[in-house]
Amino acid sequence: MNKVILMGRLTRDPEVRYSQSANPVAVVRYGLAVRKQFVKQGEPDVDFFNIVAFGKAGEFAEKFFRKGQMVSVVGRLQTNRWDKDGITHTSVDVVVEEQHFAESKKSVEEGTPTSSNTQTLSECPTPDIGEDDDLPF
């Protein structure tokens, strides 16, 4: 199974291009910065991902998504390899299957953080599941 779910902020406005086929298809690329839950000292606290959306999903992203906006993306990983000047290059993209707004339009316009009722992992209570013998598996 190849499934990726990410939520983060756009690092740049989506860039649209169209395929060179008889029926041109929109190909939209944008970057997504995703904050890490746990960070070791001296390591960056954000991971950066390349996102690619095709067709209607690409046109939607190009029309409504903007740099700095919080979005969620569901997709699959795709590895690309190419040779340039005798050197092999590799990139990994997330190909969009679904994409959603992850904050309200009002918070984007005002520049305020998303909903105040969200919890970080450290704030979430740990459920008491009892002894291992109580588990159904």
Side-chain angles (χ1 to χ4, degrees), residues 1 5 36 61-62 67 69 89-91 97-98 104 106 120 122 127:
M1 178 185 295
I5 302 171
K36 294 178 182 178
E62 193 267 334
K67 179 180 178 179
Q69 189 173 15
H89 298 272
T90 304
S91 71
E97 294 171 358
E98 299 175 34
S104 71
K106 183 179 177 183
T120 64
S122 61

Side-chain angles (χ1 to χ4, degrees), residues 1-5 74-77 97-98:
M1 178 185 295
N2 184 353
K3 189 72 127 181
V4 177
I5 302 171
V74 177
R76 62 182 171 80
L77 291 178
E97 294 171 358
E98 299 175 34

Side-chain angles (χ1 to χ4, degrees), residues 66-124:
R66 294 291 169 254
K67 179 180 178 179
Q69 189 173 15
M70 177 78 75
V71 299
S72 66
V73 174
V74 177
R76 62 182 171 80
L77 291 178
Q78 176 176 294
T79 305
N80 303 305
R81 293 184 184 182
W82 67 97
D83 288 323
K84 184 176 180 181
D85 300 327
I87 299 172
T88 301
H89 298 272
T90 304
S91 71
V92 177
D93 297 330
V94 176
V95 178
V96 171
E97 294 171 358
E98 299 175 34
Q99 55 191 355
H100 306 277
F101 297 105
E103 63 186 343
S104 71
K105 184 176 180 180
K106 183 179 177 183
S107 67
V108 171
E109 291 170 351
E110 294 175 355
T112 58
T114 56
S115 149
S116 61
N117 63 357
T118 58
Q119 291 180 314
T120 64
L121 188 58
S122 61
E123 296 170 337
C124 295

Side-chain angles (χ1 to χ4, degrees), residues 6-11 30-34 47-49 51 71 73:
L6 300 169
M7 185 165 44
R9 296 198 179 275
L10 272 71
T11 60
Y30 57 92
L32 196 65
V34 178
D47 286 319
F48 296 94
F49 297 93
I51 311 296
V71 299
V73 174

